[in-house]
Amino acid sequence: MSWTRRLCAALAGCVLLLAGSAGCGTGDAREGGASPAPVGKILEDRGQDGQPLREVAPEGSPDVGIEVQPDTAGGWDVRLTVRNFRFSPAGAAARAVAGRGLAHLFVDGRPVTRLRTSTYRLDARLVPRGTHHVTARLHADDGTVWAVEGKPVQSTADITASEPAPAMTSDAASRRKARTQGADTGGPGSPDGGRGAS
């Protein structure tokens, strides 16, 4: 009779182990073992480019700064500085992940490119003579625009392009550089006073 109890106990143990392991692979778990949760809140308002805004709390929110400098070939070097944000690789899933995505670059409100890196060379043809606004805006991988307090997370730099000379002297290059001004998000001199539209 004791062998029957041991056999029943062993069978019961196997059933519990199998049932427990079957419940572990439900497919609800995602990266890091956590269930996916909505990131932020989609606002009714849309950004200037028509994309929906994805509101996140100010604490730990993504942020971007932009610096634009003339290069030796007559174009412009754009450098982004991001906080609480990582650029997603090409082919990333089209879903919002906290603090990830890409930057959209605009000149005078016109879209130029999408960036998955912090540097870009802006061709001189896109910046004719005069003063221009170069804006970097952070997007989630699903196309929504990261927003804080109802405003897109973005930064704008004002640049002034002079008419190119046949051969730019170092003195002319110095004057051109002196007319380049940056306006980081929320910084003094920002034409929009912060994260507002460009």
Side-chain angles (χ1 to χ4, degrees), residues 89-158:
R95 62 185 175 104
V97 176
R100 289 190 63 173
L102 61 155
H104 288 207
L105 192 67
F106 300 86
V107 174
D108 297 330
R110 293 183 322 270
V112 173
T113 191
R114 296 176 182 183
L115 300 174
R116 294 188 182 276
T117 181
S118 62
T119 58
Y120 182 75
R121 184 183 181 279
L122 189 59
D123 193 280
R125 291 176 294 152
L126 297 172
V127 187
R129 183 177 183 200
T131 301
H132 302 278
H133 309 292
V134 182
T135 301
R137 185 174 301 141
L138 298 184
H139 287 245
D141 289 312
D142 66 351
T144 56
V145 179
W146 292 113
V148 175
E149 296 175 354
K151 296 183 179 177
V153 175
Q154 65 183 17
S155 183
T156 298
D158 294 336

Side-chain angles (χ1 to χ4, degrees), residues 11-24:
L11 287 173
C14 288
V15 168
L16 288 175
L17 284 174
L18 289 173
S21 65
C24 292

Side-chain angles (χ1 to χ4, degrees), residues 41-46 52-53:
K41 175 187 174 191
I42 302 293
L43 302 178
E44 289 183 25
D45 293 338
R46 291 185 173 261
L53 301 177

Side-chain angles (χ1 to χ4, degrees), residues 177-196:
K177 185 174 183 179
R179 287 191 296 264
T180 304
Q181 302 170 340
D184 287 343
T185 303
S190 175
D192 55 12
R195 289 190 167 101

